[in-house]
Amino acid sequence: MSSQTITAERAGTWKLGGELPVHRLGFGAMRLTGSAAFHHGTPSDRDRSIAVLRKAIDLGVNHIDTAAFYFSSLRSANELINSALAPYPDDLVIVTKVGPYRAYDGEWGTSARPEDLRGHVEENLRQLGRDHLDVVNLRRMPKWDSIAAHFGALAELREAGLIRHLGVSNVTPRHLAEARAIAPVVCVQNRYALDRPDPDSDELLRVCGEQGIAFVPFYAVAGEAAEQGATTDHDEDVRAVARAHGASPAQIRIAWTLHQGPHVLAIPGTGNPDHLTQNVAAGAIRLTDEELDRLGRAHHKAC
């Protein structure tokens, strides 16, 4: 498919919290920093990463997902965003997340206690050059059975004006209900992909749609490859639909994700400007009912 003039507007729009309009095709900043998402790896080319961010804005992207713990030995995603885009466009929504922690040497540290979260929020503010954060997701760590204390700490920072809206990540429906009893939740960011079984995320997709909450899948393109990058292990159903649209399998995975509901936002990430253009163009793909049924059967078969 031709992608030269396709912009993020083609994917449609959703209002986070009923007041922050974002195009449903956004951008994930994790892969901007280098060859390894969560280890030092080989640092990215700084000029190229900055060019990718600026091109994303030129293509109409106004929703960027990031975190202070996205960094390599020489590159920080937040610093790249600040350098490339500040002063920020009025319509740009930057979503960050807190909970995990990496020390300056890149090693993972102990996950945040509730009293640590103010420091995590302030670090994101400093790196991004902002006086408040548009949206902060609390990423639940596996050992947290309850998120009430952590989410309550973020709710206090929201009341203090450091955060505009709150979301949750890596949660079950029970955790979402727990958070909503404390403060409004505008988005849920969970792992979700065409070829990955996850009954909790399937249920969250449904619940979020009923409650007017954005559902924001991560690794929708990467699949089982996760932080290693986009998967090349595509089901024949995906390949067949891709051939029918003159598209890549990765584009079909993005399109299928967006077709799961008007409240679903896609945040594919890349450090490659050509891949960025292709990802944004996927927002214009319209799958037929027959294709959705075929891909849906593949998804449920995987489950």
Side-chain angles (χ1 to χ4, degrees):
M1 63 178 293
S2 173
S3 58
Q4 295 306 306
T5 60
I6 297 174
T7 62
E9 289 92 336
R10 295 285 296 278
T13 300
W14 177 263
K15 287 187 177 181
L16 289 167
E19 66 166 1
L20 292 179
V22 294
H23 298 134
R24 295 177 58 224
L25 200 298
F27 178 78
M30 185 180 72
R31 304 193 189 284
L32 284 176
T33 65
S35 63
F38 296 126
H39 303 283
H40 283 319
T42 302
S44 62
D45 179 88
R46 177 179 173 78
D47 290 341
R48 188 185 197 201
S49 293
I50 286 177
V52 166
L53 283 162
R54 290 175 176 166
K55 184 171 186 178
I57 299 301
D58 289 343
L59 289 172
V61 170
N62 62 359
H63 169 207
I64 295 178
D65 178 81
T66 186
F69 52 84
Y70 291 170
F71 64 86
S72 67
S73 58
L74 296 178
R75 305 282 177 259
S76 154
N78 282 353
E79 187 275 329
L80 288 166
I81 292 168
N82 189 344
S83 296
L85 304 180
Y88 298 108
D90 291 340
D91 68 338
L92 178 62
V93 174
I94 299 177
V95 179
T96 189
K97 63 188 73 63
V98 296
Y101 172 74
R102 289 175 72 198
Y104 290 113
D105 64 2
E107 294 300 315
W108 290 102
T110 304
S111 59
R113 298 166 298 186
E115 60 267 28
D116 297 330
L117 292 179
R118 184 182 185 101
H120 287 209
V121 166
E122 290 177 345
E123 180 67 4
N124 278 281
L125 288 168
R126 183 189 66 79
Q127 293 178 2
L128 291 166
R130 305 289 296 268
D131 59 8
H132 75 280
L133 298 173
D134 297 323
V135 183
V136 174
N137 285 318
L138 174 68
R139 180 169 176 80
R140 183 183 71 90
M141 304 306 290
K143 68 178 182 180
W144 298 351
D145 181 61
S146 168
I147 63 170
H150 290 81
F151 195 78
L154 288 183
E156 291 178 3
L157 297 178
R158 175 177 171 267
E159 291 296 320
L162 296 183
I163 303 170
R164 190 166 176 180
H165 292 290
L166 297 174
V168 290
S169 176
N170 196 36
V171 295
T172 67
R174 173 174 64 86
H175 297 115
L176 174 59
E178 189 176 35
R180 292 186 74 234
I182 297 170
V185 174
V186 304
C187 57
V188 171
Q189 189 180 100
N190 263 37
R191 188 168 180 175
Y192 187 78
L194 175 58
D195 56 358
R196 187 176 191 273
D198 190 338
D200 278 339
S201 286
D202 282 337
E203 176 65 8
L204 280 166
L205 171 70
R206 182 189 66 79
V207 170
C208 286
E210 293 176 350
Q211 298 177 351
I213 298 170
F215 184 76
V216 190
F218 61 87
Y219 296 154
V221 176
E224 290 302 315
E227 68 271 10
Q228 298 173 33
T231 184
T232 57
D233 185 18
H234 301 291
D235 188 277
E236 176 53 30
D237 291 307
V238 176
R239 294 183 185 278
V241 175
R243 288 192 296 269
H245 286 268
S248 70
Q251 288 177 310
I252 295 304
R253 292 170 71 96
I254 294 170
W256 178 85
T257 301
L258 291 171
H259 275 72
Q260 299 313 296
H263 64 299
V264 178
L265 312 181
I267 50 169
T270 182
N272 183 315
D274 292 334
H275 290 169
L276 170 67
T277 302
Q278 294 166 15
N279 289 344
V280 171
I285 296 175
R286 302 294 181 258
L287 301 174
T288 67
D289 290 342
E290 181 180 355
E291 290 168 339
L292 286 170
D293 286 344
R294 181 175 187 176
L295 295 174
R297 287 193 297 271
H299 174 67
H300 291 298
K301 182 172 63 177
C303 293

